[in-house]
Amino acid sequence: MPNKPTLTQKQKKAAALATLVLFILLSLAVFWFVGRPMVRFAKEPELFRQWIAGLGLWGKAVYVGMCMLQVVVAIIPGEPLEICGGYAFGGVWGSILCMLGLFLGSVAVFWLVRRLGQPIVEIFFPPEKLDKLHFLKSSPKRNFLFWLIFTIPGTPKDLLCYFAGLTDLRWGTWLLLCTAGRLPSVLTSTVGGSALGGKSYLFAALVFGGTLLLSLVGLLIYRGVCRHHEKARKNPEEPED
């Protein structure tokens, strides 16, 4: 059997660069032609539900694909989609379909980052944001911190999703952490959306009000954790958690 041709280091770099450029162009096109209309559409839950219902059995598959796309093209906000999932499918099915889409998106992002490295992450996030998470590469409590930050509503989950690929986390560990961590946030959004769909406006207001409060607290905790570890890095004589 003839030996398979092997690429030189220069050819590998050129192939990686070409893939990166293609991904950038594809992401921009998807955001412009799909992402923006999708978000505008998702802000009108009743119209979204009617559109999904008109797709029949394909409606669920389309919604899963939209949730997956939101993770990969990180500049597309996820909250409107999660709320619409509950509005269109109810709290249970909305949560299941949304989590499936987010899981598939997380798989795609992790694979892309492992293949292309930091340049693909910097398409969506500036280096200073990545630098704030540097402690997650070496902290002895890294798995717990990943789970904690993912669990708290309001934290930058898309940033963490891309950053995880830059660490040495194993596939199984990462997918378990991000799936378990996302569940509370998805549940509150889809349950709130379901309440809106059922015209239970008071309950929906309580859910969204509670989620907003938790999000504000979560952001404070996230920033506090980042500041603590940044201070520990600048003062190495102080033990890092």
Side-chain angles (χ1 to χ4, degrees):
M1 258 182 98
N3 292 329
K4 292 183 179 179
T6 57
L7 296 176
T8 65
Q9 197 64 27
K10 187 176 181 180
Q11 288 172 325
K12 288 180 181 178
K13 287 182 178 179
L17 179 61
T19 304
L20 186 60
V21 171
L22 182 62
F23 181 80
I24 293 172
L25 294 175
L26 182 61
S27 296
L28 289 173
V30 167
F31 172 70
W32 187 262
F33 293 108
V34 180
R36 292 189 316 137
M38 186 174 80
V39 172
R40 285 200 302 267
F41 195 25
K43 287 179 179 177
E44 301 180 61
E46 183 56 39
L47 184 61
F48 183 85
R49 177 159 64 180
Q50 291 172 10
W51 177 67
I52 285 291
L55 295 174
L57 293 175
W58 284 103
K60 291 184 173 66
V62 168
Y63 178 69
V64 169
M66 292 170 78
C67 292
M68 177 181 175
L69 179 66
Q70 182 272 320
V71 178
V72 176
V73 185
I75 48 181
I76 300 175
E79 191 72 17
L81 270 180
E82 294 172 8
I83 293 172
C84 280
Y87 196 100
F89 301 108
V92 175
W93 270 108
S95 298
I96 292 171
L97 296 172
C98 184
M99 287 298 296
L100 176 58
L102 296 177
F103 177 84
L104 294 174
S106 299
V107 170
V109 166
F110 201 74
W111 180 83
L112 282 168
V113 176
R114 284 287 167 91
R115 294 282 294 181
L116 299 174
Q118 187 153 331
I120 196 172
V121 183
E122 292 181 358
I123 294 172
F124 302 110
F125 308 103
E128 55 268 23
K129 282 195 174 183
L130 300 176
D131 192 55
K132 288 181 180 179
L133 294 176
H134 183 79
F135 66 91
L136 286 175
K137 289 187 176 182
S138 57
S139 172
K141 296 180 180 179
R142 179 181 62 185
N143 289 359
F144 170 74
L145 289 171
F146 260 113
W147 171 82
L148 176 66
I149 297 172
F150 253 93
T151 301
I152 299 171
T155 52
K157 295 174 178 57
D158 291 338
L159 169 60
L160 284 171
C161 198
Y162 270 86
F163 184 83
L166 300 174
T167 71
D168 61 356
L169 275 172
R170 295 185 176 184
W171 272 91
T173 302
W174 159 242
L175 292 174
L176 177 61
L177 289 172
C178 72
T179 301
R182 275 193 174 108
L183 188 57
S185 178
V186 169
L187 282 174
T188 55
S189 295
T190 53
V191 167
S194 178
L196 282 178
K199 301 188 187 319
S200 301
Y201 299 121
L202 177 59
F203 181 64
L206 290 173
V207 171
F208 291 135
T211 302
L212 178 61
L213 181 61
L214 286 174
S215 297
L216 293 174
V217 173
L219 279 174
L220 291 175
I221 294 174
Y222 170 72
R223 290 175 180 174
V225 169
C226 289
R227 279 197 299 268
H228 169 75
H229 286 279
E230 181 65 20
K231 183 180 177 183
R233 189 169 63 164
K234 290 179 179 178
N235 301 279
E237 66 277 4
E238 295 182 11
E240 188 173 337
D241 293 339

